Amino acid sequence: MVFTSNPLSLSVPDTSFDAWLRDSGYLEILDQHSSSSATAAPATTSTITSTTTTATATGLFISFFSHIPTLLSLFTLNPFSKLTTDDFSGQTPSWTRSFFADCGSYSFPSGSDQARLRVNENVKRYARNYASLFILFFACTLYQMPLALIGLISSLALWDVFKFCSDRWGWDRYPVLRQVMVRTAQCVTAVVLICLNVQMAFFCAVGISYTVMVLHAAFRKLTPAKQSARSR
């Protein structure tokens, strides 16, 4: 389905038309409408300021710095505000056709509103892809930090030993003893994780994956959602 910027512009204001697109689930049309509205005004000014090379360079300089507030606003958004557990239960979108796609599927957000729209929707659509990227980054970080990898494996082995001993000697019949052993295992696990810098590996993976997720979600254009999803 193809829309003009506002086919009902004589009777419906742009704000009402945008609200109808948002409520109807045509977010990709709203994304295109925001991009076209933002590029309409600079198009006329560029023809005026393109008379001299100095004016063109100044325009590019100003245009670059005008995007800085939008970039900074990306890290003030909450990309998980509309995320639910159902977003992780479906199939993983295709990495080539849906997630990465081609160069034409990316554009700089025209403003903080469009960036917020893209981030909230793309995080829901590609939640499983972003989760896979976090696991990949965490594995790469552990590969670069062998001590952290040893600490993580040691912690998992410690709890496997605890479960084996609990099943072997029936610690469930002694709640006080079992509680003491659980607290002891937790303390030992915390010491191992801290001493071997497992928390640093985790924080590095979280920071890298979060940055990649926010930038990809903000620059990735909204594509038409599946018809079956809209019909529900």
Side-chain angles (χ1 to χ4, degrees):
M1 180 178 292
V2 179
F3 287 102
T4 58
S5 58
N6 187 347
L8 305 176
S9 58
L10 297 179
S11 58
V12 179
D14 286 339
T15 55
S16 301
F17 181 66
D18 292 346
W20 178 82
L21 289 175
R22 187 185 301 273
D23 296 337
S24 301
Y26 295 104
L27 298 178
E28 70 281 356
I29 306 299
L30 183 60
D31 184 32
Q32 296 173 7
H33 180 57
S34 300
S35 299
S36 60
S37 300
T39 56
T44 56
T45 57
S46 62
T47 58
I48 299 175
T49 58
S50 61
T51 55
T52 61
T53 306
T54 305
T56 303
T58 304
L60 293 175
F61 185 79
I62 296 175
S63 176
F64 172 77
F65 280 95
S66 65
H67 290 315
I68 292 181
T70 303
L71 286 175
L72 295 178
S73 68
L74 296 178
F75 296 94
T76 62
L77 304 176
N78 182 11
F80 310 110
S81 58
K82 297 184 178 180
L83 196 63
T84 62
T85 55
D86 294 337
D87 298 322
F88 295 95
S89 60
Q91 295 182 350
T92 302
S94 174
W95 288 91
T96 54
R97 294 193 302 269
S98 299
F99 186 74
F100 291 112
D102 52 10
C103 296
S105 301
Y106 297 88
S107 68
F108 200 97
S110 59
S112 58
D113 292 337
Q114 187 182 36
R116 183 181 298 105
L117 173 67
R118 289 182 177 181
V119 168
N120 290 333
E121 181 63 20
N122 283 329
V123 168
K124 287 178 63 66
R125 292 184 181 184
Y126 307 117
R128 292 174 62 90
N129 300 88
Y130 294 135
S132 300
L133 285 179
F134 168 73
I135 296 174
L136 177 62
F137 291 143
F138 188 52
C140 293
T141 306
L142 291 176
Y143 179 78
Q144 296 294 328
M145 302 174 63
L147 289 180
L149 178 59
I150 294 174
L152 182 61
I153 295 176
S154 301
S155 300
L156 296 176
L158 175 64
W159 284 100
D160 284 339
V161 171
F162 174 81
K163 184 178 183 302
F164 173 78
C165 294
S166 178
D167 296 338
R168 178 71 179 273
W169 291 300
W171 288 351
D172 294 336
R173 295 176 295 177
Y174 310 98
V176 177
L177 177 61
R178 189 178 188 280
Q179 191 68 17
V180 171
M181 297 303 297
V182 167
R183 298 304 180 188
T184 303
Q186 289 176 345
C187 293
V188 174
T189 301
V191 171
V192 171
L193 295 180
I194 294 174
C195 292
L196 298 182
N197 289 329
V198 178
Q199 77 282 2
M200 291 301 299
F202 179 78
F203 290 147
C204 289
V206 169
I208 295 174
S209 59
Y210 182 83
T211 303
V212 171
M213 178 187 68
V214 171
L215 292 178
H216 176 270
F219 284 86
R220 181 70 165 87
K221 294 180 180 178
L222 296 180
T223 54
K226 293 182 179 180
Q227 189 67 26
S228 59
R230 285 176 179 167
S231 62
R232 291 184 302 211

